[in-house]
Amino acid sequence: MQQDFSYSDERFADLQLLRYRLNGFETLTLEQKKLVYCLSEATLYGRDITFDQFGKYNLRIRKMLEVVFVRFRGERSDEDFQALTVYLKRLWFSNGIYHHYGSEKFAPGFSADYLRRLLDEVDAELLPLQGQTLDEMCGELFPVIFQPDVLPKRVNKADGEDLVATSACNFYDGGVTQQEAETFYARLKDGAGEECPSFGLNSTLVKENGELKEIVWKADGHYGRAISKIVYWLRRAAAVAENDGQRRVIGLLINYYETGDLRLFDDYSIAWIGEQQGRIDFINGFIEVYGDPLGLKGSWEGIVEYRDLEATRRTRTISDQAQWFEDHSPVDPRFRKTRVRGVTANVVCAAMLGGDEYPSTAIGINLPNADWIRARHGSKSVTIGNLTDAYNKAARGNGFKEEFVADEETLRLIDTYGDACDDLHTDLHECLGHGSGQLLPGVSPDALKAYGNTIEEARADLFGLYYMADKKLVELGLISDEGAYRAQYYTYMMNGLMTQLIRIEPGRQIEEAHMRNRALIAHWCLEQGNAMTLTRRNGKTYLRIDDYPQLRRLVAQLLAEVQRIKSEGDFESARRLVERYGVKVDAELHAEVLARYKRLNLAPYKGFINPWLRPVSDAEGNIVDIEADYTETYEHQMLRYSTDYGTLI
C-alpha cells in the first residue's frame, strides 16, 4: 500500500513531531515481520510504567485530562481549551508533567477554575477517582499541576541538595533521603564481588515504619499488570524467533520479568550480546538510569529494530578494529583494556519506539551498562539510521547553520562533511567509546554517584572526537578527507558553548547529563588553550577555531583525565570538573542565543510518531502480512495507546 510520506509533522510548544520510515521492511520474511510485530506490542505495553516512574501523579493527571479533551474537542475552541490541549500534548511527549529534557514542571496556560468547570461536565465514572470524590481528586491533583513549588523538578542534580528528597521521580517513597538510599545500596554491594548485580535497577525504595525495603518490579509484583502483558507478547515473539539463540534471549528476559532477579537480567544481557545471527533485535526493560538523580533506578524503555545490511558495513569496520583503537588511546595504559572483547556494532532501522525512548529517542545505543559485563563479554552497539535520516531531512534549509556558523568556508565544510561526520562520531561514541577503558580493581561502578552519567557520556564523546581526526579513519575508508573532522569539531564545540542553550529556560542552569557533558568538553577546551575563541561581529557571538590540531591535543588531554576519574572512581575530581565547566550558564550569551534562535521560528526539540503496524489476514484469519501505516496523527496515536495499552490506570 503506497502512502504519502512527510518526515515533518505537527508542532506545538517547543516540540516538533517527525515520522520515520521502515526502510526495507517489505523485504523481511513474513515470520520476521511477525516477530517485529510481537516485539512491538511488548514495547507498547510498557508505556504506563514510564509514566508512573516519571512522577506518581502522572497517570491520573493524564487520564483526567484525556477524559476532558475527548469530551470537549470539536466543541470548544477558546484560548483556555487550546492551552489545555497543548499541555496534554506536552504531557504525552514527556511521559508526564515534567519536561523530557530539562525535567522542570510545565506551567499550564489555563486556570484551575477553568479545568474544574470542565470536570463538572464530564461523566465522573470515566475519571480516575480511585475511591475519591471529585473534590478530593481535584484537591490532590490540582496543586501538583498548578502550584509551581509543589514537586517542581522530576530530576534535581543541584550540588549540595538532597537529590532524592528534591526530585519528583517516583523511584523512592515514604521520605527516603539521599543518604539513606546511598547507604542502603552501598551495603548491598559490599562483598557482592566483581560480578555485582545492578542493585536497585528494578525496584522502588520505600520507608515503612522507619525501615527501608525494596518493592520489586516484576510480573506478580509492582507494575505487574503491565509486565504480564509484556511477557505475553514476548512469548508470542519467541514462537516466531529467527533462531534458538534468539529464543533463549527472549526466554531469559521472561524469566527475569517473572522473578525480578537481577542476576537473571545479567544472564539475559550476556546472552543478548552473544546473539548475532538474527536480523531482528530489540531492547526491552529497565535500562537507563538518567531519570534517577542517584543513577541507580532504570527507566522502562523499548525499541524494536532490524539490521540495515548495507550501512552496517561501516560500523563493522569500526568494531573489527576495536583493539587498535583501544591500544592507541591517549589515556594511561593502566586504564586501557589489554584485550577488547565482543564489540559488535550495527546500523539498524527502528521499527517501534516505546517508554523512555518515545517520542523523544536516542540515535545511538550501547548496552549493557554493567561494566563487568562489558569487560568480560563485550557490548552491542547500534546506530539508528532511519531516525538520523529523518532528523537530517527535517533540518535541511531551516537557516540554523547560517545563523550560528562564523563564516562561509566553515559552512561549506559542514555542508560537505557534516552528516557523514555526525554518523561517524555517533558510531565511535557508541561502538567503541562506551566500551573502552577499564575500572581499576576494587573501584565501584557507582563511585561517581550523581556525576557518573555526565562523566561517562563525556568519556564516550571525547573518544569519538579524538579519533574523528585520526588518519586511520581515512585508511579504513570511513571518511574521504583527513580534514573532514573539522566539521564535527566545529559543530560540537559550537553546540557545547552556545547553541544547546536554546534548550534551557532563562535563569536556569544545565541539568541534563548529555548537555552537561557537551558544555564540560567545550568550556574546558576553550579555557585551557588558544585553539578557539568566542568572537563578536555585528552584535553577534560566533565560535572561531584557529588551530584544529591543538584542539585535538586538548581533547586527548581531557580524555586522559576523564578516563582517570572513571577508572579510579575519583568522585571529588568528577564533581569539580562537572560543576566548574558543565553546569553554569552565561546569562548574557544565553539571552543572545535565545533571541537569535527565536527569529528562526524553529522547535528546539523533536520526537517521533510511530508507524502503526497492522496485521493483514486472509479469509481464514491467517496473518499473511504486516503493513506499516504512516497516516496516524499524533493525537490519535496517543489516545489509542492510552486505550489499547493502558494497564495501570
Side-chain angles (χ1 to χ4, degrees):
M1 179 176 65
Q2 189 67 33
Q3 301 174 25
D4 292 334
F5 187 88
S6 173
Y7 286 96
S8 183
D9 204 85
E10 183 175 357
R11 180 177 166 183
F12 51 89
D14 57 355
L15 306 169
Q16 182 181 8
L17 274 302
L18 307 177
R19 296 183 186 274
Y20 60 97
R21 268 194 176 280
L22 273 58
N23 303 316
F25 184 72
E26 68 282 353
T27 68
L28 300 180
T29 68
L30 178 58
E31 290 300 287
Q32 287 175 323
K33 289 181 179 179
K34 287 180 179 178
L35 176 58
V36 168
Y37 176 74
C38 292
L39 291 172
S40 295
E41 291 293 289
T43 293
L44 296 175
Y45 268 112
R47 179 175 181 249
D48 275 7
I49 298 176
T50 309
F51 266 89
D52 190 73
Q53 289 179 319
F54 286 4
K56 67 186 296 184
Y57 300 103
N58 281 338
L59 285 171
R60 294 184 72 196
I61 292 172
R62 187 190 80 192
K63 178 68 173 177
M64 176 181 67
L65 294 180
E66 286 175 345
V67 170
V68 169
F69 175 71
V70 171
R71 165 65 179 81
F72 291 105
R73 63 178 171 174
E75 179 180 320
R76 284 183 171 270
S77 59
D78 56 88
E79 221 174 88
D80 283 323
F81 192 75
Q82 292 177 30
L84 185 147
T85 300
V86 169
Y87 184 89
L88 177 58
K89 288 181 177 181
R90 296 184 74 188
L91 181 152
W92 285 331
F93 191 97
S94 296
N95 294 296
I97 64 172
Y98 301 92
H99 196 282
H100 75 287
Y101 214 78
S103 82
E104 66 274 4
K105 189 165 66 173
F106 306 142
F110 55 94
S111 69
D113 288 342
Y114 177 80
L115 178 56
R116 179 54 198 263
R117 288 197 301 272
L118 297 187
L119 287 169
D120 285 335
E121 297 183 44
V122 304
D123 183 351
E125 292 186 1
L126 300 176
L127 294 171
L129 297 176
Q130 296 188 347
Q132 295 178 324
T133 65
L134 179 57
D135 283 340
E136 289 169 338
M137 183 192 75
C138 293
E140 184 174 16
L141 300 184
F142 276 29
V144 181
I145 299 173
F146 294 103
Q147 295 182 21
D149 58 341
V150 175
L151 302 175
K153 285 187 71 72
R154 177 168 65 88
V155 183
N156 180 34
K157 293 191 175 182
D159 189 32
E161 297 184 12
D162 186 317
L163 304 186
V164 170
T166 57
S167 296
C169 55
N170 197 18
F171 297 123
Y172 306 91
D173 202 5
V176 177
T177 67
Q178 177 179 350
Q179 183 61 54
E180 288 173 330
E182 290 176 344
T183 300
F184 181 88
Y185 287 110
R187 286 173 179 165
L188 287 180
K189 293 169 187 172
D190 187 29
E194 294 182 1
E195 298 183 3
C196 178
S198 301
F199 287 122
L201 186 71
N202 66 336
S203 66
T204 306
L205 184 64
V206 302
K207 187 190 292 186
E208 292 183 357
N209 300 318
E211 297 292 325
L212 294 177
K213 72 173 187 178
E214 289 186 302
I215 300 176
V216 178
W217 310 329
K218 57 180 181 172
D220 63 350
H222 198 42
Y223 299 138
R225 292 197 304 276
I227 293 173
S228 294
K229 289 289 189 180
I230 294 169
V231 166
Y232 169 82
W233 282 103
L234 288 175
R235 292 191 193 282
R236 294 278 300 269
V240 289
E242 296 176 89
N243 54 61
D244 289 339
Q246 211 173 57
R247 267 185 288 276
R248 181 170 180 269
V249 168
I250 296 172
L252 285 168
L253 181 57
I254 290 171
N255 290 344
Y256 160 64
Y257 271 138
E258 290 181 330
T259 64
D261 185 342
L262 285 168
R263 294 192 185 277
L264 280 176
F265 179 69
D266 289 342
D267 292 342
Y268 152 75
S269 298
I270 294 166
W272 177 77
I273 295 168
E275 204 300 287
Q276 302 288 335
Q277 300 305 310
R279 187 174 178 187
I280 315 301
D281 207 350
F282 69 102
I283 295 164
N284 188 296
F286 308 105
I287 308 292
E288 301 292 357
V289 296
Y290 300 106
D292 174 13
L294 302 188
L296 298 170
K297 308 293 182 182
S299 301
W300 194 92
E301 67 179 60
I303 300 179
V304 185
E305 64 202 38
Y306 55 95
R307 194 181 309 131
D308 182 326
L309 300 178
E310 179 62 32
T312 289
R313 291 175 187 158
R314 181 186 77 233
T315 53
R316 287 294 171 89
T317 299
I318 292 173
S319 60
D320 288 347
Q321 296 289 325
Q323 190 66 60
W324 184 92
F325 285 102
E326 184 77 1
D327 292 344
H328 291 80
S329 171
V331 307
D332 189 313
R334 294 181 301 141
F335 309 140
R336 298 181 199 152
K337 287 187 172 80
T338 55
R339 181 183 174 192
V340 178
R341 302 172 185 268
V343 175
T344 60
N346 297 300
V347 178
V348 301
C349 285
M352 193 61 63
L353 309 172
D356 198 15
E357 293 290 347
Y358 168 81
S360 177
T361 188
I363 57 172
I365 296 170
N366 177 277
L367 290 172
N369 288 325
D371 285 291
W372 73 267
I373 295 180
R374 289 176 183 273
R376 298 188 184 188
H377 302 279
S379 62
K380 191 186 286 187
S381 299
V382 298
T383 301
I384 310 178
N386 59 337
L387 300 188
T388 302
D389 187 53
Y391 279 127
N392 291 341
K393 284 183 168 62
R396 283 183 185 149
N398 65 11
F400 178 82
K401 290 182 294 187
E402 289 76 9
E403 173 60 37
F404 288 101
V405 174
D407 53 70
E408 290 295 327
E409 181 183 355
T410 307
L411 264 176
R412 286 194 295 272
L413 181 74
I414 294 168
D415 286 339
T416 303
Y417 298 112
D419 287 353
C421 285
D422 282 347
D423 289 343
L424 196 51
H425 185 256
T426 299
D427 293 341
L428 291 165
H429 174 113
E430 300 294 350
C431 303
L432 301 180
H434 280 307
S436 67
Q438 63 180 353
L439 300 179
L440 293 183
V443 173
S444 169
D446 302 318
L448 304 184
K449 300 180 182 179
Y451 298 101
N453 289 332
T454 297
I455 291 296
E456 176 58 25
E457 292 303 324
R459 195 175 69 89
D461 262 1
L462 287 162
F463 190 98
L465 288 169
Y466 177 74
Y467 281 113
M468 283 293 304
D470 201 293
K471 63 182 181 180
K472 181 74 170 180
L473 299 189
V474 178
E475 294 174 8
L476 294 173
L478 295 169
I479 201 74
S480 59
D481 189 309
E482 285 189 19
Y485 78 93
R486 293 175 296 157
Q488 183 67 23
Y489 272 35
Y490 191 92
T491 54
Y492 188 96
M493 297 300 170
M494 180 180 72
N495 190 29
L497 292 170
M498 293 175 54
T499 53
Q500 73 170 0
L501 297 177
I502 63 175
R503 297 183 164 191
I504 300 175
E505 293 184 2
R508 294 188 180 275
Q509 303 293 344
I510 302 174
E511 295 272 358
E512 200 276 334
H514 297 80
M515 292 182 72
R516 284 185 167 191
N517 140 52
R518 292 188 288 266
L520 186 163
I521 292 171
H523 283 96
W524 188 92
C525 290
L526 182 69
E527 180 183 289
Q528 296 300 315
N530 55 9
M532 61 183 185
T533 56
L534 289 177
T535 63
R536 297 279 294 174
R537 189 175 73 243
N538 299 325
K540 295 180 179 181
T541 304
Y542 295 95
L543 170 66
R544 190 181 74 219
I545 300 181
D546 297 311
D547 192 336
Y548 282 93
Q550 184 195 358
L551 184 54
R552 190 196 185 206
R553 290 192 291 273
L554 290 171
V555 165
Q557 185 180 339
L558 183 56
L559 173 57
E561 173 61 6
V562 167
Q563 182 63 64
R564 182 199 68 77
I565 289 170
K566 169 87 173 182
S567 295
E568 294 181 351
D570 186 347
F571 172 81
E572 283 303 320
S573 291
R575 186 186 65 79
R576 285 195 298 269
L577 194 63
V578 174
E579 292 294 334
R580 178 169 178 177
Y581 297 104
V583 176
K584 297 179 179 63
V585 174
D586 182 308
E588 185 176 344
L589 178 61
H590 189 195
E592 177 199 326
V593 170
L594 290 175
R596 292 166 67 182
Y597 189 78
K598 185 177 181 180
R599 288 193 288 271
L600 298 174
N601 194 31
L602 301 175
Y605 300 99
K606 294 173 176 62
F608 291 96
I609 300 172
N610 280 325
W612 190 349
L613 297 184
R614 307 171 78 122
V616 179
S617 300
D618 61 17
E620 286 74 42
N622 301 308
I623 295 177
V624 296
D625 198 7
I626 305 291
E627 289 186 345
D629 184 338
Y630 302 107
T631 63
E632 189 173 30
T633 66
Y634 175 69
E635 174 187 310
H636 186 277
Q637 183 160 107
M638 289 300 185
L639 289 172
R640 178 171 67 87
Y641 284 3
S642 292
T643 300
D644 293 354
Y645 303 101
T647 55
L648 303 180
I649 187 70

